[in-house]
């Protein structure tokens, strides 16, 4: 019979319990299966069905983004302004999620931020036989989850927003954040 810590990991004070890491390949496979399951169980015959898939995936990402920010900002001082929050997302949070920082951050200084990832991790091994536009179209549902993650992280930091993503050339992906007034 084994004992469990408060977090359900066997043993007390074990190195495993303190580290709590997940294999990157397991996360990649989980994302693929999650998106495929949502797409399969939500018939995509109409735009309303497509919206339902977007809503489910984006809301799942939203919850994950909120929890991640909660965990990684608990010992940090408050951010001075919205730009500092977005920089935190681009540098610190993106590094935790994708093992790299955002490649490019642009702003119009009026509440719109564009984050560009030239080698988006979840698109690195994605392709189709037709390539180009076909690959970008099939990659669309895989952008909804990270859009939700960004929106959830921003919301938990007091920055309500709308986040949309687009890709035209895999593995590049661009996320546009519009700060809600």
């Amino acid at each position: 019979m084994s004992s469990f810590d408060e977090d359900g990991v066997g043993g007390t004070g074990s190195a495993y319990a303190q580290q709590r890491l997940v294999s990157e390949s397991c996360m990649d496979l989980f994302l693929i299966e999650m998106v495929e399951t949502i797409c399969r169980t939500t018939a995509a015959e109409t735009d309303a069905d497509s919206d339902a898939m977007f809503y489910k995936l984006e809301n799942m990402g939203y919850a994950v983004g909120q929890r991640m920010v909660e965990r990684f900002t608990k010992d940090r001082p408050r951010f001075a302004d919205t730009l500092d929050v977005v920089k935190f997302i681009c540098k610190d949070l993106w590094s935790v999620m994708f093992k790299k920082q955002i490649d490019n951050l642009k702003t119009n200084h009026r509440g719109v931020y564009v984050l560009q990832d030239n080698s988006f991790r979840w698109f690195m091994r994605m392709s189709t036989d037709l390539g180009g536009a076909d690959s970008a179209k099939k990659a669309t549902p895989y952008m909804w989850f990270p859009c939700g993650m960004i929106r959830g992280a921003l919301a938990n930091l007091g920055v309500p927003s709308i986040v949309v993503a687009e890709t035209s050339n895999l593995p590049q992906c661009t996320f546009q954040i519009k700060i809600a007034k």
Side-chain angles (χ1 to χ4, degrees), residues 1-14 16-17 20:
M1 194 169 203
S2 65
S3 63
F4 287 93
D5 290 346
E6 293 174 355
D7 59 357
V9 178
T12 54
S14 68
Y16 180 77
R20 295 187 214 166

Side-chain angles (χ1 to χ4, degrees), residues 52-92:
M53 285 188 292
F54 165 77
Y55 181 77
K56 288 178 185 178
L57 288 167
E58 203 264 351
N59 276 334
M60 291 170 74
Y62 183 87
V64 170
Q66 282 190 310
R67 289 182 182 111
M68 287 185 71
V69 160
E70 183 104 2
R71 180 175 182 179
F72 294 112
T73 59
K74 66 181 179 183
D75 297 326
R76 293 181 64 113
R78 290 196 182 272
F79 294 101
D81 61 3
T82 303
L83 183 58
D84 287 341
V85 171
V86 174
K87 285 180 181 178
F88 169 77
I89 300 290
C90 293
K91 292 179 181 179
D92 300 323

Side-chain angles (χ1 to χ4, degrees), residues 101-116:
Q101 294 181 4
I102 279 287
D103 294 312
N104 196 358
L105 167 63
K106 295 179 184 176
T107 181
N108 67 358
H109 298 287
R110 287 177 277 171
V112 177
Y113 299 88
V114 178
L115 288 60
Q116 185 172 348

